[in-house]
Amino acid sequence: MANSNKSAREAKARVARMEANQALHQEQLQRRKRDNLIAFIAIGAALALAAVLALTVFSPKSDADATGTDASTSSADASAEPSTPAPSASAPVETNSPTVPKAETAQGKTFTGTLTLNGKPLGVELDGTKAPQAAAVFKSLADEGFMTGKTCHRLTNSPNFGVLQCGSLKGDGAGDPSYQWGPVENTPADGKYPAGTIAVARANTVYSNGTQFFITYEDTNLPQGDGGYTIVGKVTSGLDVVTGIAKDGIANGATDGAPNTKVTIDSFKLN
């Protein structure tokens, strides 16, 4: 009888050990499945991220016109803004390029001078009190003779949107990635840029200002949702030079594009 009880206990122990081993085995299988699933998800996420990065870095960008929009967009779109195409697909750092002058060099100062287009002078005034960074930039560009020989590549003549845009490095409206600055200053809350306003063109961030500016030859309304455009100064005389260019029209009868009359900056001088 004792041997029978001992055998029963041993059999029960073997069954218990077997069940424990089976339970452990099942737990290991479940853990392995979870680990494999996690690894599969991680690999999938890594591959997806790599694909996105590849598309971001290597996908070709369409040509852009001076509005910063695709060149295939109808030139009759009067809502286009005075801006320059973003020079890079990467998000710009909110800091100025090394060669951009300090705002302090123009703080509190007023610069007056002459902008000569096609041999005809415009009196201009830059406000270093309301827009010190912009005034410092354009005073520096004027002193360096940067504007001499540059063109005014863009003209608009839509209702409430009449501007002449100038100062592109290569005359094609593209921004210069080596010369960017910010922030936006002295923008009108109501989006109204009166005739004779001199403002700074930019791309899609408040630190994408560059060397381009625009002159409004009629009262112009521009959206301010993304920060607006810095008003750096005004035309004090000779605005009729710009209105005369506007009367000559735009290439191909468009409402936004290259002026029919080629416009060259003969000089830009400030005191």
Side-chain angles (χ1 to χ4, degrees), residues 20-32:
N21 287 336
Q22 289 176 340
L24 178 61
H25 180 65
Q26 289 297 322
E27 182 180 351
Q28 289 173 336
L29 286 176
Q30 292 298 324
R31 186 182 298 118
R32 191 174 297 116

Side-chain angles (χ1 to χ4, degrees), residues 59-238:
S59 60
K61 295 188 294 180
S62 60
D63 291 334
D65 60 15
T67 67
T69 58
D70 200 280
S72 62
T73 302
S74 171
S75 59
D77 183 3
S79 65
E81 306 167 22
S83 58
T84 56
S88 170
S90 60
V93 178
E94 292 195 346
T95 186
N96 292 345
S97 299
T99 56
V100 172
K102 301 294 184 183
E104 291 78 7
T105 62
Q107 182 70 56
K109 299 178 182 179
T110 299
F111 302 110
T112 59
T114 304
L115 173 66
T116 304
L117 304 178
N118 290 355
K120 299 177 181 180
L122 288 75
V124 297
E125 179 180 290
L126 303 190
D127 191 340
T129 297
K130 293 181 179 179
Q133 183 61 78
V137 165
F138 285 96
K139 178 62 165 70
S140 173
L141 293 173
D143 290 348
E144 294 169 3
F146 173 85
M147 293 295 175
T148 301
K150 297 298 187 291
T151 61
C152 297
H153 62 277
R154 182 190 185 198
L155 178 68
T156 71
N157 62 3
S158 300
N160 300 315
F161 184 39
V163 306
L164 179 68
Q165 187 169 329
C166 316
S168 169
L169 178 63
K170 298 180 180 179
D172 57 1
D176 180 356
S178 67
Y179 197 88
Q180 296 184 80
W181 54 276
V184 167
E185 309 166 294
N186 192 31
T187 59
D190 59 4
K192 294 181 179 180
Y193 294 73
T197 295
I198 303 173
V200 184
R202 65 177 177 85
N204 58 354
T205 79
V206 295
Y207 270 78
S208 60
N209 300 292
T211 62
Q212 296 188 49
F213 65 94
F214 62 92
I215 299 171
T216 60
Y217 63 87
E218 62 181 31
D219 293 347
T220 294
N221 295 331
L222 298 173
Q224 305 297 291
D226 64 348
Y229 303 86
T230 294
I231 295 178
V232 64
K234 61 184 178 181
V235 175
T236 57
S237 64

Side-chain angles (χ1 to χ4, degrees), residues 47-57:
L47 290 173
L49 178 60
V52 170
L53 289 175
L55 288 173
T56 301
V57 176

